[in-house]
């Protein structure tokens, strides 16, 4: 068996590396038109940072795992083709800012139709709207070769930062296919790949449409929980309740559970916002405006939480940050990844730059070039400095912001940092990961989401 994955991004690369590791009898080709990305996958510095990924790739690369730009050759030789290309939110036209942009999926389908000389099993790995398989089928059926390809849905449920762990020991593998003899046979072929390391009772099989929709719904429910606890964090600050204590109390209920009840400056990443917006668009498209409005509120609450955090900084610093040095610790959307897509840090930094603050930004895995791209600034922007350590970022700052929950931020020498900052020295913990009582003993004024100290007076 030969497997080809089109798209060497955050999903395709790690997923194929795990398949190659667990299935040494299968050749796995990961192909992408981006030559720089492929070169990085073939180098000692991978384009994706995930704990454990380097070792996984090194073990299988050039044995049965290959990265190249030879897209058509890999398609021609493959039995199973994973489609793992980007499906961003449309920024123009019908469905702008909500619907998924499927041009890359369409392009892949047309390339497969052009190149394939034998029937293929085509696996949707990208996050896509329900009924996308119909469009792929239509394109494949339009060629004159008469080949009967099968299209399956196999959405990923990886959490960035724990992707290797999730791939090695998944909660479930979901595979959807047509409920025909050929469709069910294709499903079982893909099942046999995952069964090399995943127990059969964790491999769920459904019809095609249920599988496509389940990915959007899973991310929507997780995003909803974060927005829900963040909405309560604002109420906690007004009433004197502690959001962590509230989350622990309700999370102890077996009907609710404790996961995704951590209040923060807001969720980010490549999937949550994109998938919820896609769900909003689909509901509107199918004539369900009330359902669309319900899920749209999840996004509105997340946006409000980010604005609320930036406004809180402004109020604490006497309603002006013009010319003031603000230390920003963390730019990735979560720890243990270099992914910055939809990171809350982007929006908080943009709000502060609009107020003419001077930012000193430090993240252990995100470089200056990516930060400049996300903030839409030039590298020589006089209002932004790129620090090489948290201590350097904090020196001379009026305030220090924790925007990513990197473990190293818990272990900083805050006594030394306090001495280096202007007074009153503020810490705004956007992830609620620090020892706030200890920080106050040192002398810091501390704002922590959902548990603001009642005695701290803000203009």
């Amino acid at each position: 068996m030969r497997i080809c994955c089109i798209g060497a991004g955050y999903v395709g690369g790690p997923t194929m590396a795990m398949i190659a590791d667990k299935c040494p009898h299968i050749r796995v080709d990961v192909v992408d038109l981006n030559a720089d990305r492929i070169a990085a996958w073939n180098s000692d510095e991978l384009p994706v940072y995930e704990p454990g990924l380097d070792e996984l790739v090194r073990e299988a690369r050039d044995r049965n795992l290959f990265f190249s730009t030879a897209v058509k050759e890999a398609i021609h030789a493959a039995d199973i083709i994973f489609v793992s290309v980007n499906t961003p939110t449309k920024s123009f036209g019908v469905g702008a800012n909500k619907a998924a942009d499927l041009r890359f999926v369409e392009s892949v389908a047309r390339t497969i139709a052009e190149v394939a000389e034998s029937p293929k099993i085509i696996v949707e790995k990208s996050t896509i709207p329900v009924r996308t398989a119909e469009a792929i089928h239509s394109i494949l059926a339009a060629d004159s070769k008469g080949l009967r390809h099968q299209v399956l849905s196999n959405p990923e449920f990886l959490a960035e930062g724990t992707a290797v762990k999730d791939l090695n020991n998944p909660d479930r593998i979901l595979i959807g296919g047509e409920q025909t003899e050929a469709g069910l046979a294709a499903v079982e072929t893909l099942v046999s790949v995952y069964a090399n390391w995943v127990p059969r009772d964790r491999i769920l099989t459904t019809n095609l449409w249920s599988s496509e929709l389940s990915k959007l719904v899973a991310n929507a429910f997780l995003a909803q929980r974060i927005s829900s606890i963040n909405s309560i964090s604002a109420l906690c600050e007004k009433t004197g309740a502690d959001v962590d204590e509230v989350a622990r109390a309700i999370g102890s209920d077996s009907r609710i559970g404790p996961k995704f009840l951590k209040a923060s400056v807001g969720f980010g990443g490549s999937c949550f916002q994109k998938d919820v917006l896609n769900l909003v668009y689909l509901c509107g498209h199918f004539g369900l405006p009330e359902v669309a409005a319900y899920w749209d509120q999840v996004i509105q609450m997340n946006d409000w939480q980010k604005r609320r955090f930036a406004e809180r900084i402004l109020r604490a610093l006497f309603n002006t940050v013009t010319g003031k040095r603000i230390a920003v610790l963390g730019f990735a959307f979560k720890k243990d990844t270099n992914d910055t897509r939809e990171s809350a840090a982007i929006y908080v930094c943009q709000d502060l730059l609009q107020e003419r603050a001077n930012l000193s930004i430090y993240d252990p895995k995100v470089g200056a070039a990516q930060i400049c791209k996300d903030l839409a600034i030039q590298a020589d922007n006089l209002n932004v400095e790129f620090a090489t350590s948290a201590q350097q970022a904090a020196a001379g700052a009026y305030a220090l912001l924790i925007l990513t929950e990197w473990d190293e931020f818990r272990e900083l020498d805050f006594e030394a940092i306090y001495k280096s900052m202007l007074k009153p020295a503020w810490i705004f913990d956007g992830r609620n990961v620090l020892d706030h009582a200890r920080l106050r003993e040192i002398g810091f004024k501390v704002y922590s989401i959902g548990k603001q100290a009642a005695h701290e007076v803000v203009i």
Side-chain angles (χ1 to χ4, degrees), residues 281-323:
Y281 176 75
L282 285 172
C283 292
H285 174 76
F286 287 110
L288 302 170
E290 294 83 3
V291 183
Y294 175 84
W295 288 108
D296 190 52
Q297 188 60 35
V298 172
I299 299 297
Q300 291 186 37
M301 180 56 60
N302 192 53
D303 292 341
W304 178 75
Q305 184 78 340
K306 291 178 285 192
R307 290 196 306 272
R308 189 170 78 88
F309 187 80
E311 290 167 0
R312 186 64 174 76
I313 297 166
L314 184 64
R315 293 201 311 273
L317 298 183
F318 310 110
N319 284 327
T320 178
V321 292
T322 301

Side-chain angles (χ1 to χ4, degrees), residues 152-277:
L152 305 181
S153 169
N154 175 218
E156 55 84 16
F157 296 101
L158 306 178
E160 290 187 43
T162 60
V164 173
K165 178 183 175 183
D166 296 340
L167 286 164
N168 188 55
N169 187 28
D171 289 339
R172 79 292 203 194
I173 297 292
L174 179 60
I175 302 172
E178 288 187 296
Q179 302 302 289
T180 63
E181 183 177 349
L184 294 173
V187 167
E188 285 306 310
T189 299
L190 186 55
V191 166
S192 72
V193 174
Y194 285 110
N196 281 280
W197 79 97
V198 181
R200 185 60 181 84
D201 60 0
R202 286 198 224 163
I203 304 176
L204 310 181
T205 58
T206 68
N207 73 41
L208 200 48
W209 319 126
S210 295
S211 179
E212 287 185 337
L213 184 57
S214 292
K215 170 60 176 177
L216 296 184
V217 173
N219 280 341
F221 271 57
L222 295 174
Q224 176 196 53
R225 284 173 68 91
I226 297 172
S227 281
S228 294
I229 198 64
N230 280 343
S231 72
I232 299 304
S233 73
L235 183 59
C236 288
E237 292 172 24
K238 296 292 187 182
T239 61
D242 184 316
V243 71
D244 284 344
E245 293 179 349
V246 172
R248 180 160 54 90
I250 65 173
S252 298
D253 188 325
S254 61
R255 297 168 299 176
I256 298 173
K259 294 184 178 180
F260 283 80
L261 291 180
K262 181 68 174 176
S264 70
V265 67
F267 62 74
S270 62
C271 288
F272 280 4
Q273 177 157 313
K274 176 169 71 76
D275 290 358
V276 176
L277 288 172

